[in-house]
């Protein structure tokens, strides 16, 4: 960043500060990863200079020869990776991918079923503070109290009662495999569309270690971040019959010009996610999450749904008598980054919560294995027992620095100078 360093040293120093944070902290936010350097190269490439609307071969601006090749390559790679009939890789984010699907096939006030945000869903699945809950008549389904899995029976009852135009599933804090076939059958029974937001698990799907929702859903939305470990953006997969509607839902329905530099990075993301190396990474991500879950259980933490099939754990802190906010802050102090998270049937406010969400994608990219999960689990336990004890937390910070030194970011091959 030599140019930036000279022209804007303040901003340069802030970027450096973030890089230093990433190097010396253990990143365990389930939505995060460390992208390959190629992704940063592409996101910073000359495609950022190009403005265009429309789709390959049908643009509203000239000069799209290379842009058309690039977007077509990305579309074909996404289709191949997920065995989809159609892909749109223009959505700027996962939220915008969801917005575009709704815009494509729903009318305002249409009835839609979505998983509650406070039981693992996502803002764009009907939360009242979000456009989705304001424009459409979302009705929430949730988890069963006993097993903390989606209550498919309740979902079916709600579907039969409300005859929704669409059922949405997927989430940001649901550790277990979702039964896509069962929800697809319910959607068919009531004549509604079925949409899966697979943003959190897309990398696991690509690796073949999580069911592929493309087999069951009319529409699948996702980000290319999170477990796909790539560009910061979204995409949509659908059957051929919906291709035109979806493309119109993205442009001109909800977006203007495409972010070509990000699409180029998405095209690389899809290629990499089809490799054996990526598959092995995803296998280790899940092994690490499961191992960390076992360690935390041994230390008396309660895991929502008793464990995980994926990259994330949802830890209920009520048996420990601490809040998600308190543990998030104390872990941040020692250098482990997680987020506070509502647990099912939580009575705390979303700004406080009774839980934390922990993801293993980023730390596994740095080379962490099961034995490192023992160390991380032990650190989490020690921190939980010493909230407010600055001296003790300072000594734990040393352990985190040692761990991050053993797991160097980008193997030490990347620096900002
Ligand atoms: N959905 C949010 C999360 O999972 O953290 C952001 O992507």
């Amino acid at each position: 960043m030599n140019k930036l360093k000279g022209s804007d040293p303040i901003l340069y120093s802030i970027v450096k500060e973030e890089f230093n944070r990433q190097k010396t902290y253990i990143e365990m936010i389930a939505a995060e990863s460390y992208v390959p350097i190629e992704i940063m190269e592409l996101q910073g490439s000359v495609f950022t200079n190009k403005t265009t609307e429309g789709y390959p071969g049908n643009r509203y601006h000239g000069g799209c020869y290379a842009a058309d090749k690039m977007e077509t390559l990305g579309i074909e790679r996404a289709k191949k990776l997920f065995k989809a009939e159609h892909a749109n890789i223009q959505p700027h984010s996962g939220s915008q991918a969801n917005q575009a699907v709704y815009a494509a096939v729903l009318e305002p006030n249409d009835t839609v079923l979505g998983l509650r945000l406070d039981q693992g869903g996502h803002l764009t699945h009907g939360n009242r503070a979000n456009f989705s809950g304001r424009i459409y008549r979302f009705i929430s389904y949730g988890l069963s109290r006993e097993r903390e899995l989606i209550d498919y029976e309740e979902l079916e009852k709600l579907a039969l009662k409300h005859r929704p135009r669409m059922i949405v599933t997927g989430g940001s804090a649901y550790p277990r495999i979702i039964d896509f076939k069962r929800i697809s059958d319910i959607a068919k029974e009531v004549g509604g569309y079925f949409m899966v937001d697979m943003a959190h698990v897309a990398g696991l799907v690509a690796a073949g270690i999580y069911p592929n929702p493309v087999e069951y859903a009319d529409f699948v939305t996702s980000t290319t971040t999170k477990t796909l470990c790539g560009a910061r953006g979204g995409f949509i997969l659908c059957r051929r019959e919906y291709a035109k509607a979806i493309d119109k839902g993205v442009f001109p329905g909800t977006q203007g010009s495409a972010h070509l530099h990000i699409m180029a990075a998405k095209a690389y993301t899809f290629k990499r996610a089809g490799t054996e190396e990526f598959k092995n990474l995803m296998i280790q991500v899940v092994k690490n999450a499961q191992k960390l879950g076992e360690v935390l259980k041994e230390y008396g933490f309660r895991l929502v749904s008793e464990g995980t099939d994926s990259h994330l754990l949802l830890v209920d802190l009520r048996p420990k008598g601490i809040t998600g906010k308190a543990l998030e802050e104390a872990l941040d102090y020692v250098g482990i980054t997680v987020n506070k998270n509502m647990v099912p049937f939580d009575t705390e406010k979303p700004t406080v919560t009774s839980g934390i969400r922990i993801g293993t994608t980023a730390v596994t990219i740095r080379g962490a294995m099961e034995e490192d999960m023992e160390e991380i689990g032990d650190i989490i336990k020690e921190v939980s027992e010493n909230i407010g004890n600055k001296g003790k937390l300072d000594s734990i910070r040393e352990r985190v620095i040692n761990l991050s030194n053993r797991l160097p970011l980008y193997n030490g091959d990347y620096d900002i100078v």
Side-chain angles (χ1 to χ4, degrees), residues 29-32 95 121-123 171-173 199-200 223 225-226 232 312 339 341 357:
I29 288 187
E32 292 190 27
S95 294
H122 188 257
L123 265 179
S172 51
H200 262 272
T223 59
T225 51
K226 306 188 175 81
R232 186 152 288 280
L312 72 85
N339 63 277
N341 213 99
R357 185 185 65 162

Side-chain angles (χ1 to χ4, degrees), residues 114-127:
L115 179 61
R116 295 169 62 120
L117 176 63
D118 59 1
Q119 295 191 6
H122 188 257
L123 265 179
T124 53
H125 301 179
N127 188 270

